Amino acid sequence: MSPELKKDEQTVTPEGAPVKAGIEGVRMRRLITHEDERGEICEIFHFDWGVSDKPLVYVYQTVVRPGKVKGWIVHRNQDDRIFASLGVMQWALYDDRSDSPTYKRLQVFSVGERSRTLFVIPRGVFHAVKNIGRTDAYFVNMPTAPYKHTDPDKYRLPLENDMIPFSFEETGGW
């Protein structure tokens, strides 16, 4: 057998669930897009889904250009509730909560228009996103606290840093 040949490891169960455990408090719901001859509709958020029990107080949309990265950021006073709408994005999350059972765990996943997803990033979890598609990527954020322009709850790290063991440059193809 060739020394360059590397066998793939299992990443999902036969039902499609990830094998690797995620970060404590990160909740995800794959969303269904209903399509007919007129177009399509995708519900973004419903309180009854149980993804988040906090009320909607602020909503905004972000666009990430092809090949570009936004992050690393972390919030200390709010959770982010992200709806991945259009394009293809790779998200990386890093748990910086010292009291969390998943402290220092990294979670990486891809979402996009073919797998629209609503997910919650708890406060204290660093996050970054890369557009891995060929068109602009869009996501909507519905944070649990409104943005304070005079005192933003946003803290940043450089993309390459000594704290988070991840680089978007090192993610290759199949």
Side-chain angles (χ1 to χ4, degrees):
M1 188 179 299
S2 171
E4 298 93 35
L5 190 62
K6 183 176 183 273
K7 185 177 182 319
D8 278 357
E9 295 179 16
Q10 181 182 4
T11 58
V12 297
T13 66
E15 294 76 31
V19 171
K20 275 188 172 179
I23 292 174
E24 176 70 26
V26 173
R27 294 182 301 279
M28 300 180 81
R29 178 185 174 98
R30 297 288 179 172
L31 303 176
I32 298 169
T33 300
H34 302 279
E35 186 176 1
D36 65 21
E37 72 280 357
R38 300 167 296 161
E40 59 184 43
I41 185 171
C42 179
E43 293 178 296
I44 295 174
F45 180 88
H46 197 294
F47 183 81
D48 291 345
W49 293 343
V51 175
S52 176
D53 60 357
K54 296 178 177 72
L56 288 177
V57 294
Y58 181 67
V59 178
Y60 65 90
Q61 177 176 279
T62 299
V63 177
V64 184
R65 303 281 183 232
K68 299 299 181 181
V69 178
K70 293 179 75 70
W72 293 99
I73 64 167
V74 68
H75 306 290
R76 298 297 181 207
N77 301 307
Q78 73 178 47
D79 300 343
D80 280 341
R81 295 177 287 204
I82 305 289
F83 166 62
S85 177
L86 291 172
V88 184
M89 296 161 258
Q90 181 182 51
W91 285 82
L93 313 179
Y94 180 77
D95 193 349
D96 189 41
R97 302 168 296 169
S98 59
D99 61 343
S100 169
T102 56
Y103 179 52
K104 294 189 176 185
R105 181 173 295 166
L106 180 70
Q107 183 175 350
V108 180
F109 56 90
S110 296
V111 295
E113 61 199 59
R114 300 192 82 178
S115 60
R116 289 181 175 143
T117 305
L118 171 65
F119 57 97
V120 176
I121 305 170
R123 66 197 74 193
V125 174
F126 278 90
H127 46 289
V129 58
K130 180 176 184 177
N131 180 339
I132 57 174
R134 294 187 178 129
T135 62
D136 288 351
Y138 293 75
F139 66 89
V140 173
N141 191 1
M142 301 163 279
T144 57
Y147 186 75
K148 292 182 183 174
H149 293 84
T150 58
D151 185 22
D153 178 29
K154 188 176 280 189
Y155 303 86
R156 298 179 184 274
L157 277 176
L159 282 178
E160 300 299 325
N161 62 73
D162 293 333
M163 185 174 134
I164 301 174
F166 180 80
S167 172
F168 283 101
E169 300 307 317
E170 295 175 9
T171 57
W174 297 12

